[in-house]
Coordinates of all heavy atoms in Angstrom, one line a residue:
M276 N -2.7 15.9 14.5 CA -2.4 14.5 14.1 C -3.6 14.0 13.2 O -4.8 14.3 13.6 CB -2.3 13.6 15.4 CG -2.1 12.1 15.0 SD -1.8 11.1 16.5 CE -0.2 11.6 16.9
S277 N -3.3 13.4 12.1 CA -4.3 12.9 11.2 C -5.1 11.7 11.8 O -4.5 11.0 12.6 CB -3.8 12.6 9.9 OG -2.8 11.5 10.0
E278 N -6.3 11.6 11.4 CA -7.2 10.5 11.9 C -7.1 9.3 11.0 O -6.9 9.4 9.8 CB -8.6 11.0 12.0 CG -8.9 12.2 12.8 CD -8.7 11.9 14.3 OE1 -9.2 10.8 14.7 OE2 -8.2 12.7 15.0
F279 N -7.4 8.1 11.6 CA -7.5 6.9 10.8 C -8.9 7.0 10.1 O -9.9 7.5 10.7 CB -7.5 5.7 11.7 CG -6.1 5.2 12.0 CD1 -5.5 5.6 13.2 CD2 -5.4 4.4 11.2 CE1 -4.2 5.2 13.5 CE2 -4.1 4.0 11.5 CZ -3.5 4.4 12.7
V280 N -8.9 6.6 8.8 CA -10.1 6.6 8.0 C -10.4 5.3 7.5 O -9.5 4.6 6.9 CB -9.9 7.6 6.8 CG1 -11.1 7.6 5.9 CG2 -9.6 9.0 7.3
K281 N -11.6 4.8 7.6 CA -12.0 3.5 7.0 C -11.9 3.5 5.5 O -12.5 4.4 4.9 CB -13.4 3.1 7.5 CG -13.8 1.8 6.9 CD -15.3 1.5 7.3 CE -15.8 0.3 6.5 NZ -17.2 0.0 6.8
V282 N -11.2 2.5 4.9 CA -11.1 2.5 3.5 C -11.6 1.2 2.9 O -11.8 1.1 1.7 CB -9.7 2.8 3.0 CG1 -9.2 4.2 3.4 CG2 -8.7 1.7 3.5
A283 N -11.7 0.1 3.7 CA -12.1 -1.2 3.2 C -12.6 -2.1 4.4 O -12.4 -1.7 5.5 CB -10.9 -1.8 2.5
R284 N -13.1 -3.2 4.0 CA -13.4 -4.3 5.0 C -12.4 -5.4 4.8 O -11.9 -5.6 3.7 CB -14.8 -4.7 4.9 CG -15.8 -3.6 5.2 CD -17.2 -4.0 5.0 NE -17.7 -5.0 5.9 CZ -18.1 -4.8 7.2 NH1 -18.2 -3.6 7.6 NH2 -18.4 -5.8 7.9
V285 N -12.1 -6.2 5.8 CA -11.2 -7.2 5.8 C -11.5 -8.2 4.7 O -10.6 -8.7 4.0 CB -11.1 -8.0 7.2 CG1 -10.3 -9.3 7.1 CG2 -10.5 -7.0 8.2
G286 N -12.8 -8.5 4.5 CA -13.2 -9.5 3.5 C -13.0 -9.0 2.0 O -13.2 -9.8 1.1
D287 N -12.7 -7.7 1.9 CA -12.6 -7.2 0.5 C -11.3 -7.6 -0.2 O -11.2 -7.5 -1.4 CB -12.6 -5.6 0.6 CG -13.9 -5.0 1.0 OD1 -14.9 -5.7 1.0 OD2 -13.9 -3.8 1.4
I288 N -10.3 -8.0 0.6 CA -9.0 -8.2 0.0 C -8.5 -9.6 0.5 O -8.2 -9.8 1.6 CB -8.0 -7.2 0.5 CG1 -8.5 -5.8 0.3 CG2 -6.6 -7.3 -0.2 CD1 -7.9 -4.7 1.0
A289 N -8.5 -10.5 -0.5 CA -8.1 -11.9 -0.1 C -6.6 -11.9 0.2 O -5.8 -11.2 -0.3 CB -8.4 -12.8 -1.3
P290 N -6.2 -12.9 1.0 CA -4.7 -13.1 1.3 C -3.9 -13.3 0.0 O -4.4 -13.9 -0.9 CB -4.7 -14.3 2.2 CG -6.0 -14.4 2.8 CD -7.0 -13.9 1.8
G291 N -2.8 -12.6 -0.1 CA -2.0 -12.7 -1.3 C -2.4 -11.8 -2.4 O -2.0 -12.0 -3.5
S292 N -3.2 -10.8 -2.1 CA -3.7 -9.9 -3.2 C -3.7 -8.4 -2.7 O -3.5 -8.2 -1.5 CB -5.1 -10.3 -3.6 OG -6.1 -10.0 -2.6
G293 N -4.0 -7.6 -3.6 CA -4.0 -6.1 -3.3 C -5.1 -5.4 -4.0 O -5.8 -6.0 -4.9
T294 N -5.3 -4.2 -3.7 CA -6.3 -3.4 -4.3 C -6.0 -1.9 -4.2 O -5.0 -1.6 -3.5 CB -7.7 -3.6 -3.7 OG1 -8.7 -3.0 -4.5 CG2 -7.8 -3.1 -2.3
T295 N -6.7 -1.0 -4.8 CA -6.5 0.4 -4.7 C -7.7 1.1 -3.9 O -8.8 0.8 -4.3 CB -6.3 1.0 -6.1 OG1 -5.2 0.4 -6.7 CG2 -6.0 2.5 -5.9
R296 N -7.4 1.9 -3.0 CA -8.3 2.7 -2.2 C -7.9 4.1 -2.2 O -6.7 4.4 -2.6 CB -8.5 2.1 -0.8 CG -9.2 0.8 -0.8 CD -10.6 0.9 -1.2 NE -11.4 -0.3 -0.8 CZ -11.6 -1.3 -1.6 NH1 -11.0 -1.4 -2.8 NH2 -12.4 -2.4 -1.2
Y297 N -8.7 5.0 -1.7 CA -8.3 6.4 -1.6 C -8.4 6.9 -0.2 O -9.3 6.6 0.6 CB -9.3 7.3 -2.5 CG -8.9 7.2 -3.9 CD1 -9.4 6.2 -4.8 CD2 -8.0 8.1 -4.5 CE1 -9.0 6.1 -6.1 CE2 -7.6 8.1 -5.8 CZ -8.1 7.0 -6.6 OH -7.7 6.9 -7.9
L298 N -7.3 7.6 0.2 CA -7.3 8.3 1.5 C -7.4 9.8 1.1 O -6.4 10.4 0.7 CB -6.0 8.0 2.2 CG -5.9 8.5 3.6 CD1 -7.0 8.0 4.5 CD2 -4.5 8.2 4.2
G299 N -8.6 10.3 1.2 CA -8.9 11.6 0.6 C -8.7 11.5 -0.9 O -9.4 10.7 -1.5
T300 N -7.8 12.3 -1.4 CA -7.6 12.2 -2.9 C -6.4 11.4 -3.2 O -6.0 11.3 -4.4 CB -7.4 13.7 -3.4 OG1 -6.3 14.3 -2.8 CG2 -8.7 14.5 -3.3
T301 N -5.8 10.8 -2.2 CA -4.5 10.1 -2.5 C -4.8 8.6 -2.8 O -5.4 7.9 -1.9 CB -3.6 10.2 -1.2 OG1 -3.3 11.5 -0.9 CG2 -2.3 9.4 -1.5
P302 N -4.4 8.1 -3.9 CA -4.5 6.7 -4.2 C -3.6 5.8 -3.4 O -2.4 6.1 -3.3 CB -4.3 6.6 -5.7 CG -3.4 7.7 -6.0 CD -3.7 8.8 -5.0
V303 N -4.1 4.8 -2.7 CA -3.3 4.0 -1.8 C -3.4 2.5 -2.3 O -4.5 2.0 -2.5 CB -3.7 4.1 -0.4 CG1 -2.9 3.2 0.5 CG2 -3.6 5.6 0.1
A304 N -2.3 1.8 -2.4 CA -2.3 0.4 -2.7 C -2.4 -0.4 -1.4 O -1.5 -0.2 -0.5 CB -1.1 0.0 -3.5
L305 N -3.4 -1.2 -1.2 CA -3.6 -1.9 0.1 C -3.5 -3.4 -0.2 O -4.1 -3.9 -1.1 CB -5.0 -1.5 0.6 CG -5.5 -2.1 1.9 CD1 -4.6 -1.7 3.1 CD2 -6.9 -1.7 2.2
F306 N -2.6 -4.1 0.7 CA -2.3 -5.5 0.4 C -2.6 -6.3 1.7 O -2.4 -5.9 2.8 CB -0.8 -5.6 0.1 CG -0.4 -4.9 -1.1 CD1 0.1 -3.6 -1.0 CD2 -0.6 -5.4 -2.4 CE1 0.5 -2.9 -2.2 CE2 -0.2 -4.7 -3.5 CZ 0.3 -3.4 -3.4
N307 N -3.0 -7.6 1.4 CA -3.2 -8.6 2.4 C -2.1 -9.6 2.3 O -2.0 -10.4 1.4 CB -4.5 -9.2 2.3 CG -4.8 -10.3 3.3 OD1 -3.9 -10.8 4.0 ND2 -6.1 -10.6 3.5
V308 N -1.1 -9.5 3.3 CA 0.0 -10.5 3.3 C -0.3 -11.5 4.4 O 0.0 -11.2 5.6 CB 1.3 -9.8 3.5 CG1 2.5 -10.8 3.5 CG2 1.6 -8.7 2.4
D309 N -0.9 -12.6 4.0 CA -1.2 -13.7 5.0 C -1.9 -13.1 6.2 O -1.6 -13.5 7.3 CB 0.1 -14.4 5.4 CG 0.8 -15.1 4.3 OD1 0.1 -15.5 3.3 OD2 2.0 -15.2 4.3
G310 N -2.9 -12.3 5.9 CA -3.8 -11.8 7.0 C -3.3 -10.5 7.7 O -4.0 -9.9 8.5
R311 N -2.1 -10.0 7.3 CA -1.6 -8.7 7.8 C -1.8 -7.8 6.6 O -1.5 -8.1 5.5 CB -0.2 -8.8 8.2 CG 0.0 -9.6 9.5 CD 1.3 -9.3 10.1 NE 1.4 -7.9 10.5 CZ 2.2 -7.5 11.4 NH1 3.1 -8.2 12.0 NH2 2.2 -6.2 11.7
F312 N -2.2 -6.5 6.9 CA -2.5 -5.5 5.9 C -1.4 -4.5 5.9 O -1.0 -4.0 7.0 CB -3.9 -4.9 6.1 CG -5.0 -5.9 5.9 CD1 -5.4 -6.7 6.9 CD2 -5.5 -6.1 4.6 CE1 -6.4 -7.6 6.7 CE2 -6.5 -7.1 4.4 CZ -7.0 -7.8 5.5
Y313 N -1.0 -4.1 4.7 CA 0.0 -3.1 4.5 C -0.5 -2.1 3.4 O -1.2 -2.5 2.5 CB 1.3 -3.7 4.0 CG 1.9 -4.6 5.0 CD1 1.7 -6.0 4.9 CD2 2.7 -4.1 6.1 CE1 2.3 -6.8 5.9 CE2 3.2 -5.0 7.0 CZ 3.0 -6.3 6.9 OH 3.6 -7.2 7.9
A314 N -0.1 -0.9 3.5 CA -0.5 0.2 2.5 C 0.7 1.0 2.1 O 1.5 1.5 3.0 CB -1.6 1.0 3.2
I315 N 0.8 1.2 0.8 CA 1.8 2.1 0.3 C 1.1 3.0 -0.8 O 0.0 2.7 -1.2 CB 3.0 1.3 -0.4 CG1 2.4 0.4 -1.5 CG2 3.8 0.6 0.6 CD1 3.6 -0.3 -2.3
H316 N 1.8 4.1 -1.2 CA 1.2 4.9 -2.2 C 1.0 4.1 -3.5 O 1.8 3.3 -3.8 CB 2.1 6.1 -2.5 CG 1.5 7.3 -3.1 ND1 0.9 7.2 -4.4 CD2 1.2 8.5 -2.7 CE1 0.4 8.4 -4.7 NE2 0.5 9.2 -3.7
N317 N -0.1 4.3 -4.1 CA -0.4 3.5 -5.3 C 0.4 3.8 -6.5 O 0.6 3.0 -7.4 CB -1.9 3.7 -5.7 CG -2.4 2.7 -6.7 OD1 -2.3 1.5 -6.5 ND2 -2.8 3.2 -7.9
D318 N 0.9 5.0 -6.6 CA 1.7 5.4 -7.8 C 3.1 5.0 -7.7 O 3.9 5.4 -6.8 CB 1.7 7.0 -7.9 CG 0.2 7.5 -8.2 OD1 -0.6 6.6 -8.5 OD2 0.0 8.7 -8.0
C319 N 3.6 4.1 -8.5 CA 5.0 3.7 -8.6 C 5.9 4.9 -8.8 O 5.6 5.7 -9.7 CB 5.1 2.7 -9.7 SG 6.9 2.2 -9.9
P320 N 6.9 5.1 -7.9 CA 7.7 6.2 -8.0 C 8.6 6.2 -9.3 O 9.3 7.2 -9.6 CB 8.6 6.2 -6.8 CG 8.5 4.8 -6.3 CD 7.2 4.2 -6.8
H321 N 8.6 5.1 -10.0 CA 9.4 5.1 -11.3 C 8.7 5.9 -12.3 O 9.1 6.9 -12.7 CB 9.7 3.6 -11.7 CG 10.4 3.5 -12.9 ND1 10.0 2.7 -14.0 CD2 11.6 4.1 -13.3 CE1 10.9 2.8 -15.0 NE2 11.9 3.6 -14.6
E322 N 7.5 5.4 -12.8 CA 6.8 6.1 -13.8 C 5.3 6.0 -13.6 O 4.5 5.8 -14.6 CB 7.2 5.7 -15.2 CG 8.6 6.1 -15.6 CD 8.9 5.8 -17.1 OE1 8.1 5.3 -17.8 OE2 10.1 6.0 -17.4
D323 N 4.8 6.0 -12.3 CA 3.4 6.0 -12.0 C 2.6 4.8 -12.3 O 1.4 4.9 -12.4 CB 2.8 7.3 -12.6 CG 3.3 8.6 -12.0 OD1 3.8 8.5 -10.9 OD2 3.3 9.6 -12.7
G324 N 3.2 3.7 -12.4 CA 2.4 2.4 -12.5 C 1.5 2.3 -11.3 O 1.8 2.8 -10.2
A325 N 0.4 1.5 -11.5 CA -0.5 1.3 -10.4 C -0.1 0.1 -9.5 O -0.4 -1.0 -9.9 CB -1.9 1.2 -10.9
L326 N 0.5 0.4 -8.4 CA 1.0 -0.7 -7.6 C -0.1 -1.6 -7.0 O 0.1 -2.8 -6.8 CB 1.9 -0.2 -6.5 CG 3.2 0.5 -7.0 CD1 4.0 1.1 -5.8 CD2 4.1 -0.5 -7.7
G327 N -1.2 -1.1 -6.8 CA -2.4 -1.8 -6.3 C -2.8 -2.9 -7.3 O -3.5 -3.8 -7.0
E328 N -2.4 -2.8 -8.6 CA -2.7 -3.7 -9.6 C -1.6 -4.7 -9.9 O -1.6 -5.5 -10.8 CB -3.1 -3.0 -10.9 CG -4.3 -2.2 -10.8 CD -4.6 -1.3 -12.0 OE1 -4.0 -1.5 -13.1 OE2 -5.4 -0.4 -11.9
G329 N -0.5 -4.6 -9.1 CA 0.7 -5.4 -9.3 C 0.4 -6.8 -8.7 O -0.5 -7.0 -7.9
S330 N 1.3 -7.7 -9.0 CA 1.2 -9.1 -8.4 C 2.0 -9.1 -7.1 O 3.1 -8.5 -7.0 CB 1.7 -10.1 -9.4 OG 3.0 -9.9 -9.7
L331 N 1.4 -9.8 -6.1 CA 2.0 -9.9 -4.8 C 2.5 -11.3 -4.6 O 1.8 -12.3 -4.8 CB 0.9 -9.6 -3.8 CG 1.4 -9.4 -2.3 CD1 2.3 -8.2 -2.2 CD2 0.2 -9.3 -1.4
C332 N 3.8 -11.4 -4.1 CA 4.4 -12.6 -3.7 C 5.0 -12.4 -2.3 O 6.0 -11.7 -2.2 CB 5.4 -13.1 -4.8 SG 6.2 -14.7 -4.4
G333 N 4.5 -13.0 -1.3 CA 4.9 -12.7 0.0 C 4.6 -11.3 0.3 O 3.5 -10.8 0.1
S334 N 5.6 -10.5 0.7 CA 5.4 -9.1 1.0 C 5.9 -8.2 -0.1 O 6.1 -7.0 0.0 CB 6.1 -8.7 2.3 OG 7.5 -8.8 2.2
V335 N 6.2 -8.8 -1.3 CA 6.8 -8.1 -2.4 C 5.8 -8.0 -3.6 O 5.2 -8.9 -4.0 CB 8.0 -8.8 -3.0 CG1 8.6 -8.1 -4.2 CG2 9.1 -8.9 -1.9
V336 N 5.5 -6.7 -4.0 CA 4.6 -6.4 -5.1 C 5.5 -6.1 -6.3 O 6.5 -5.4 -6.2 CB 3.6 -5.3 -4.8 CG1 4.2 -4.0 -4.6 CG2 2.6 -5.3 -5.9
T337 N 5.1 -6.5 -7.4 CA 5.8 -6.3 -8.7 C 4.9 -5.2 -9.5 O 3.8 -5.5 -9.8 CB 6.0 -7.5 -9.5 OG1 6.7 -8.5 -8.7 CG2 6.7 -7.2 -10.8
C338 N 5.5 -4.1 -9.8 CA 4.8 -3.1 -10.6 C 4.4 -3.7 -11.9 O 5.2 -4.3 -12.6 CB 5.7 -1.9 -10.8 SG 4.9 -0.6 -11.7
P339 N 3.1 -3.4 -12.3 CA 2.7 -4.0 -13.6 C 3.3 -3.3 -14.8 O 3.1 -3.8 -15.9 CB 1.1 -3.8 -13.5 CG 1.0 -2.6 -12.6 CD 2.1 -2.7 -11.6
V340 N 4.0 -2.2 -14.7 CA 4.5 -1.5 -15.9 C 5.9 -2.0 -16.2 O 6.1 -2.5 -17.4 CB 4.5 0.0 -15.6 CG1 5.0 0.7 -16.9 CG2 3.0 0.5 -15.3
H341 N 6.9 -1.8 -15.3 CA 8.2 -2.2 -15.7 C 8.8 -3.3 -14.7 O 10.0 -3.5 -14.7 CB 9.2 -1.0 -15.7 CG 8.7 0.1 -16.6 ND1 8.2 1.2 -16.1 CD2 8.7 0.2 -17.9 CE1 7.9 2.0 -17.1 NE2 8.2 1.4 -18.3
A342 N 8.0 -3.8 -13.9 CA 8.3 -5.0 -13.0 C 9.3 -4.6 -11.9 O 10.0 -5.5 -11.4 CB 8.8 -6.1 -13.8
Y343 N 9.4 -3.3 -11.5 CA 10.2 -3.0 -10.3 C 9.5 -3.7 -9.1 O 8.3 -3.7 -9.1 CB 10.3 -1.6 -10.1 CG 11.3 -0.8 -10.9 CD1 11.7 -1.3 -12.2 CD2 11.9 0.3 -10.5 CE1 12.6 -0.6 -13.0 CE2 12.8 1.0 -11.3 CZ 13.2 0.5 -12.5 OH 14.1 1.2 -13.3
E344 N 10.3 -4.1 -8.2 CA 9.7 -4.8 -7.0 C 9.8 -3.9 -5.7 O 10.8 -3.3 -5.5 CB 10.4 -6.1 -6.7 CG 10.2 -7.1 -7.9 CD 10.9 -8.5 -7.6 OE1 12.0 -8.5 -6.9 OE2 10.4 -9.5 -8.0
F345 N 8.7 -4.0 -4.9 CA 8.7 -3.2 -3.7 C 8.2 -4.0 -2.6 O 7.3 -4.8 -2.7 CB 7.6 -2.0 -3.9 CG 8.0 -1.0 -5.0 CD1 7.6 -1.3 -6.3 CD2 8.7 0.1 -4.6 CE1 8.0 -0.4 -7.3 CE2 9.0 1.0 -5.6 CZ 8.7 0.8 -7.0
D346 N 8.9 -3.9 -1.4 CA 8.4 -4.5 -0.2 C 7.3 -3.7 0.4 O 7.6 -2.5 0.8 CB 9.6 -4.6 0.8 CG 9.2 -5.5 2.0 OD1 8.1 -5.4 2.4 OD2 10.1 -6.2 2.5
V347 N 6.1 -4.2 0.4 CA 5.0 -3.5 0.9 C 5.0 -3.2 2.4 O 4.3 -2.3 2.8 CB 3.6 -4.1 0.5 CG1 3.6 -4.3 -1.0 CG2 3.4 -5.4 1.2
S348 N 5.8 -3.9 3.1 CA 5.9 -3.7 4.6 C 6.8 -2.5 4.9 O 6.7 -1.9 6.0 CB 6.3 -4.9 5.3 OG 7.7 -5.2 5.0
S349 N 7.7 -2.2 4.0 CA 8.7 -1.1 4.3 C 8.7 0.0 3.3 O 9.2 1.1 3.6 CB 10.1 -1.7 4.3 OG 10.5 -2.1 3.0
G350 N 8.1 -0.2 2.1 CA 8.1 0.8 1.1 C 9.4 0.8 0.3 O 9.6 1.5 -0.7
E351 N 10.3 -0.1 0.6 CA 11.6 -0.2 0.0 C 11.5 -0.7 -1.4 O 10.7 -1.7 -1.6 CB 12.5 -1.1 0.8 CG 13.9 -1.3 0.3 CD 14.8 -2.2 1.1 OE1 14.2 -2.8 2.1 OE2 15.9 -2.5 0.8
C352 N 12.2 -0.1 -2.4 CA 12.3 -0.7 -3.7 C 13.4 -1.7 -3.8 O 14.6 -1.3 -3.5 CB 12.4 0.4 -4.8 SG 12.5 -0.2 -6.4
L353 N 13.2 -2.9 -4.1 CA 14.2 -3.9 -4.1 C 15.0 -3.9 -5.5 O 16.0 -4.5 -5.6 CB 13.6 -5.3 -3.9 CG 12.7 -5.5 -2.7 CD1 12.1 -6.8 -2.6 CD2 13.5 -5.1 -1.4
T354 N 14.4 -3.2 -6.5 CA 15.1 -3.1 -7.8 C 16.1 -2.0 -7.8 O 17.2 -2.2 -8.4 CB 14.0 -3.0 -8.9 OG1 13.0 -4.0 -8.7 CG2 14.6 -3.1 -10.3
D355 N 15.7 -0.9 -7.2 CA 16.6 0.3 -7.3 C 16.2 1.1 -6.0 O 15.1 1.7 -5.9 CB 16.3 1.1 -8.5 CG 17.2 2.3 -8.7 OD1 17.7 2.8 -7.6 OD2 17.4 2.8 -9.8
S356 N 17.2 1.2 -5.1 CA 16.9 1.9 -3.8 C 16.6 3.4 -3.9 O 16.1 4.0 -2.9 CB 18.1 1.7 -2.9 OG 19.2 2.3 -3.4
A357 N 16.7 3.9 -5.1 CA 16.4 5.3 -5.3 C 14.8 5.5 -5.3 O 14.4 6.7 -5.3 CB 17.0 5.9 -6.6
Y358 N 14.1 4.4 -5.4 CA 12.7 4.5 -5.7 C 11.8 4.0 -4.6 O 10.8 3.3 -4.8 CB 12.3 3.8 -7.0 CG 12.8 4.4 -8.2 CD1 13.9 3.9 -8.9 CD2 12.2 5.6 -8.7 CE1 14.3 4.5 -10.1 CE2 12.6 6.2 -9.9 CZ 13.7 5.6 -10.6 OH 14.2 6.2 -11.7
C359 N 12.1 4.3 -3.3 CA 11.3 3.9 -2.2 C 9.9 4.6 -2.3 O 9.8 5.7 -2.9 CB 11.9 4.0 -0.9 SG 12.0 5.7 -0.3
V360 N 8.9 4.0 -1.8 CA 7.5 4.5 -1.9 C 6.9 4.8 -0.5 O 7.3 4.1 0.4 CB 6.6 3.5 -2.7 CG1 6.5 2.2 -2.0 CG2 5.3 4.1 -3.1
E361 N 6.1 5.8 -0.5 CA 5.5 6.2 0.8 C 4.6 5.1 1.4 O 3.9 4.5 0.7 CB 4.6 7.5 0.6 CG 4.0 8.0 1.8 CD 3.1 9.3 1.6 OE1 2.9 9.6 0.4 OE2 2.7 9.9 2.5
R362 N 4.8 4.9 2.7 CA 3.9 4.0 3.4 C 2.8 4.7 4.2 O 3.0 5.8 4.6 CB 4.8 3.2 4.4 CG 5.7 2.2 3.8 CD 6.3 1.3 4.8 NE 6.9 2.0 6.0 CZ 6.6 1.8 7.2 NH1 5.7 0.8 7.6 NH2 7.1 2.5 8.2
F363 N 1.8 4.0 4.5 CA 0.7 4.5 5.3 C 0.5 3.6 6.5 O 0.7 2.3 6.4 CB -0.6 4.6 4.5 CG -0.5 5.6 3.4 CD1 0.1 5.3 2.2 CD2 -1.0 6.9 3.6 CE1 0.2 6.2 1.2 CE2 -0.9 7.8 2.5 CZ -0.3 7.5 1.4
E364 N 0.0 4.1 7.6 CA -0.3 3.3 8.8 C -1.6 2.6 8.6 O -2.6 3.2 8.1 CB -0.3 4.2 10.0 CG 1.0 4.8 10.4 CD 0.9 5.7 11.6 OE1 0.0 5.4 12.5 OE2 1.7 6.6 11.7
V365 N -1.7 1.3 9.0 CA -2.9 0.5 8.8 C -3.4 0.1 10.2 O -2.5 -0.3 11.0 CB -2.6 -0.7 8.0 CG1 -3.9 -1.6 7.8 CG2 -2.0 -0.3 6.6
R366 N -4.6 0.2 10.4 CA -5.3 -0.3 11.6 C -6.4 -1.2 11.2 O -7.2 -0.8 10.4 CB -5.7 0.8 12.5 CG -6.4 0.3 13.8 CD -7.0 1.5 14.6 NE -6.0 2.2 15.3 CZ -6.3 3.4 15.9 NH1 -7.5 3.9 15.9 NH2 -5.3 4.0 16.5
V367 N -6.6 -2.4 11.9 CA -7.7 -3.2 11.7 C -8.6 -3.1 12.9 O -8.1 -3.4 14.0 CB -7.3 -4.7 11.4 CG1 -8.6 -5.6 11.2 CG2 -6.5 -4.8 10.1
D368 N -9.9 -2.7 12.7 CA -10.8 -2.6 13.8 C -12.0 -3.4 13.5 O -12.9 -3.0 12.7 CB -11.2 -1.1 14.0 CG -12.1 -0.9 15.2 OD1 -12.3 -1.8 16.0 OD2 -12.6 0.3 15.3
G369 N -12.1 -4.6 14.1 CA -13.1 -5.6 13.8 C -13.0 -6.0 12.3 O -11.9 -6.5 11.9
D370 N -14.0 -5.7 11.5 CA -13.9 -6.0 10.1 C -13.5 -4.8 9.2 O -13.4 -4.9 8.0 CB -15.3 -6.4 9.6 CG -15.6 -7.9 10.0 OD1 -14.7 -8.6 10.3 OD2 -16.8 -8.2 10.1
D371 N -13.2 -3.7 9.9 CA -12.8 -2.5 9.1 C -11.3 -2.4 9.0 O -10.6 -2.6 10.0 CB -13.4 -1.3 9.8 CG -14.9 -1.3 9.8 OD1 -15.5 -1.9 8.9 OD2 -15.5 -0.7 10.7
I372 N -10.9 -1.9 7.9 CA -9.5 -1.5 7.7 C -9.4 0.0 7.5 O -10.1 0.6 6.7 CB -8.9 -2.2 6.4 CG1 -9.0 -3.7 6.4 CG2 -7.4 -1.8 6.2 CD1 -8.6 -4.4 5.1
L373 N -8.5 0.6 8.4 CA -8.4 2.0 8.4 C -7.0 2.4 8.1 O -6.0 1.7 8.4 CB -8.8 2.6 9.8 CG -10.2 2.2 10.3 CD1 -10.1 0.9 11.2 CD2 -10.8 3.3 11.1
L374 N -6.8 3.6 7.5 CA -5.5 4.1 7.1 C -5.3 5.5 7.6 O -6.3 6.2 7.8 CB -5.4 4.1 5.6 CG -5.5 2.9 4.8 CD1 -5.3 3.3 3.3 CD2 -4.5 1.9 5.2
R375 N -4.1 5.8 7.8 CA -3.7 7.3 8.0 C -2.3 7.5 7.5 O -1.5 6.5 7.5 CB -3.9 7.8 9.4 CG -2.8 7.4 10.4 CD -3.0 8.1 11.7 NE -2.0 7.6 12.6 CZ -1.9 7.9 13.9 NH1 -2.9 8.6 14.4 NH2 -1.0 7.5 14.7
R376 N -2.0 8.7 7.2 CA -0.7 9.1 6.7 C 0.1 9.2 8.0 O -0.3 9.9 9.0 CB -0.8 10.4 6.0 CG 0.2 10.6 5.0 CD -0.1 11.9 4.1 NE 0.5 11.6 2.8 CZ -0.2 11.8 1.7 NH1 -1.3 12.4 1.7 NH2 0.4 11.5 0.6
P377 N 1.3 8.7 8.0 CA 2.2 8.9 9.2 C 2.5 10.3 9.4 O 2.6 11.1 8.5 CB 3.4 8.0 8.9 CG 3.1 7.2 7.7 CD 2.0 7.9 7.0
E378 N 2.8 10.6 10.6 CA 3.3 12.0 11.0 C 4.7 12.1 10.4 O 5.5 11.2 10.3 CB 3.4 12.2 12.5 CG 2.0 12.1 13.2 CD 1.0 13.1 12.7 OE1 1.4 14.3 12.6 OE2 -0.1 12.7 12.4
P379 N 5.0 13.3 9.9 CA 6.3 13.5 9.3 C 7.4 13.4 10.3 O 7.3 13.6 11.5 CB 6.3 14.9 8.7 CG 5.0 15.6 9.2 CD 4.2 14.5 9.8
Ligands
LIG245 S1 6.2 2.4 -13.6 FE1 6.6 1.0 -12.0 S2 8.5 0.1 -12.6 FE2 8.2 1.6 -14.1

């Protein structure tokens, strides 16, 4: 079973925003939705836009390249269901935010 890895601190990501972190060599888009944290693969499954640089409205991030929308809590693509994105498990431990890849 993979271990949780610290990637950020709670204060690094303001509510309503996102950023990009790495879990090993994997880029992960990490979002703060009203104090709850969610993580999805940073690479948009459409054409590799950086989802961590997208704008966040509620739990929906808009890809900065072609504006496909993704629910960061489920990884579902709201624009085209063929393009769901990988999710990561998030744990908050004190001020630390930790991630791990879910078991298959
Ligand atoms: S690269 Fe994200 S919508 Fe096209």
Side-chain angles (χ1 to χ4, degrees):
M276 176 175 287
S277 62
E278 300 290 321
F279 279 94
V280 176
K281 178 184 171 183
V282 297
R284 294 177 65 85
V285 168
D287 294 343
I288 310 162
S292 69
T294 190
T295 303
R296 291 291 195 269
Y297 282 84
L298 184 59
T300 58
T301 303
V303 177
L305 180 61
F306 299 96
N307 181 339
V308 179
D309 297 328
R311 294 198 61 163
F312 292 90
Y313 297 97
I315 57 176
H316 201 293
N317 189 61
D318 297 343
C319 177
H321 181 231
E322 290 185 8
D323 293 334
L326 294 175
E328 297 173 11
S330 61
L331 186 66
C332 182
S334 65
V335 176
V336 65
T337 301
C338 179
V340 180
H341 305 107
Y343 281 26
E344 294 181 329
F345 297 85
D346 187 325
V347 302
S348 68
S349 66
E351 179 184 2
C352 180
L353 306 178
T354 309
D355 184 335
S356 60
Y358 290 105
C359 72
V360 64
E361 181 181 10
R362 287 189 311 127
F363 294 81
E364 294 180 26
V365 180
R366 176 187 288 172
V367 176
D368 183 7
D370 284 338
D371 295 334
I372 302 173
L373 304 96
L374 300 180
R375 79 173 176 188
R376 206 170 215 137
E378 298 301 314

